[in-house]
Each structure stands twice: as C-alpha cells, then as structure tokens.
C-alpha cells in the first residue's frame, strides 16, 4: 500500500528565499509529525498535528518556520527567508492514532533534502 | 521530562556475529520504547516497540530488544548479523503518563551507525 510521501525529494535554494515542503501521510492517519535531521544530530522534533490542529509546535526553531495541514491529510512546512543553517533533511511521519493514549508507531516518508546556498 | 541516550555513535561487528545496539532512557513514570532503522537515503522504518508485558520484544528482520527497568535500558539485539543490517538505528522513548506540561511526542536518540563487515 502507499506509504508517506514527501515532495520535493531535493531542494536547493538561495539564502533568503522561501521554500515549501509537502507531506502526504498514509490515508486515515490522524497524527502527523515533522522532524529535521541534520548530520550527527539525530532527529529534531518540529511540529505535531492531530487532525488539522497543531497541539504541539514547540520544536519550530523560529518564526520563519510554519506549517499547516488541511483536510486532515496533506501538510505543508514553510520556511521563510531561508538561512544556511536551515540546510537539513526534513522528515514527515504519520501514525494511526493520536498520542494521547496508545503510542502507535510512526511511519516516515523518505524526506526532503534542503540545501540553502 | 523524557530523554534517551545512545552511547555509541558507531558499532562494528563481523557478519554472523551477534550484535547489540545500546539505548538507555529517562522518564518520570513508565516508558513506551521504540526502535527504528534508517537505510541510506531512506526514511525511518519501525522495527519494534515495548508497551507493556513481556520484557523481550521481537520485531522485524530478526531483531529483538529487552526492556530492563532497573537499568533503564532497551538494547537492540540480533543473534547473527548480516551485511544488509548495516544502517542507522534510532531508539525513541515516550513517557506513558507525561503529566501536566509533559510531551506526548516520542523523543529520539541521536542514532547509532551499525556497520557489519563481511
């Protein structure tokens, strides 16, 4: 069956430009997560959606970062005025259940590699 | 607060030998624990999880992990390593009852690179 998909797979942008990263979760998954993976830094949590609302956006590193989710499905992570330190792999994951009780495993997309020049 | 540590950046093992990838955790109450694997240029894949019950958890690709509450550990093991097991392995933890101000989001370790030599 279809897994989590992300687009684009690679994005090279100039410093100061805005970028949009897209995530298509597994159909029916109510929870959606964004992470950032930098070399040697592990996974850095950015934001979590339950349905269309974001009860936890504590990981967004600055107000240049925002995300939305529509229709309980597709999510877009937007980075405004990109900086070189934003270069990383951005991973999206979805899970079948909310995180309130049953800790369902997460299914990850292949990621978007963002390079800011 | 919850945290997880993977004390080894890299583990080297010969094919056919047993492997262990270490993980220790810290939570306020009881933990939910997960292992994920990341192959090159791929997203993370779920391997196994501990929720409750039997301390020995069996997962995909012949991997297993043992929950040890007294040592706050959840080490990943496999009796006989394959070259194809070479990948980046992540441990994650979530407090079963985060409480006020706590997080329901699993915390991931920094990852351990497993290299299996032919």
């Amino acid at each position: 069956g279809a897994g989590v998909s992300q687009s684009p797979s690679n994005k090279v942008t100039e410093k100061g430009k805005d970028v949009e990263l897209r995530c298509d979760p597994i159909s029916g998954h109510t929870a959606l997560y964004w992470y950032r993976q930098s070399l040697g830094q592990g996974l850095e949590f950015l934001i979590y959606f339950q349905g269309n609302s974001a009860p936890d956006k504590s990981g967004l590193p600055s107000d240049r970062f925002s995300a939305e989710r529509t229709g309980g499905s597709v999510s877009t992570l937007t980075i405004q005025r990109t900086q070189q330190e934003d270069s990383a792999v951005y991973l999206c994951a979805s899970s079948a259940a909310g995180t309130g009780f049953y800790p369902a495993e997460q299914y990850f997309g292949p990621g978007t590699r963002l390079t800011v020049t | 607060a919850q945290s997880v540590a993977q004390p080894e950046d890299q583990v080297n093992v010969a094919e056919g030998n047993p492997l262990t990838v270490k993980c220790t955790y810290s939570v306020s109450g009881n933990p939910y624990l997960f292992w994920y694997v990341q192959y090159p240029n791929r997203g993370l894949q779920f391997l196994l999880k501990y929720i409750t019950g039997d301390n020995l958890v069996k997962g995909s690709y012949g991997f297993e992990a043992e929950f040890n509450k007294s040592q706050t550990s959840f080490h990943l093991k496999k009796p006989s390593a394959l070259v194809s097991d070479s990948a980046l392995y992540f441990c994650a933890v979530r407090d079963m009852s985060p409480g006020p101000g706590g997080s329901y989001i699993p915390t991931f370790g920094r990852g351990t690179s497993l290299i299996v030599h032919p």
Side-chain angles (χ1 to χ4, degrees), chain A residues 35-93:
Chain A
Y35 295 89
R36 181 166 69 176
Q37 184 177 25
S38 303
L39 193 61
Q41 297 298 315
L43 263 65
E44 177 187 3
F45 167 74
L46 298 177
I47 188 169
Y48 153 67
F49 287 92
Q50 178 62 32
N52 290 336
S53 63
D56 191 341
K57 53 181 78 172
S58 61
L60 294 177
S62 75
D63 59 7
R64 296 187 295 107
F65 288 72
S66 63
E68 64 175 14
R69 189 180 185 193
T70 56
S73 179
V74 172
S75 177
T76 302
L77 177 69
T78 301
I79 309 173
Q80 295 179 311
R81 307 180 302 282
T82 51
Q83 303 295 312
Q84 287 186 331
E85 60 263 30
D86 300 334
S87 296
V89 176
Y90 289 81
L91 292 170
C92 174

Side-chain angles (χ1 to χ4, degrees), chain B residues 91-111:
Chain B
C91 181
V93 67
R94 204 211 86 181
D95 197 322
M96 195 178 291
S97 302
S103 176
Y104 285 95
I105 309 301
T107 296
F108 283 79
R110 293 165 62 93

Side-chain angles (χ1 to χ4, degrees), chain B residues 4 24 28 51 67 75 84 86 104:
Chain B
V4 61
T24 58
S28 302
I51 304 299
F67 169 60
H75 300 332
S84 57
S86 298
Y104 285 95

Side-chain angles (χ1 to χ4, degrees), chain A residues 37 40 99 102 105-106 109, chain B residues 36 38 43 46 49 94 104 110:
Chain A
Q37 184 177 25
T99 56
Y102 183 72
E105 59 269 25
Q106 296 170 305
Chain B
Y36 290 83
Q38 185 178 32
F46 170 75
K49 66 183 176 184
R94 204 211 86 181
Y104 285 95
R110 293 165 62 93

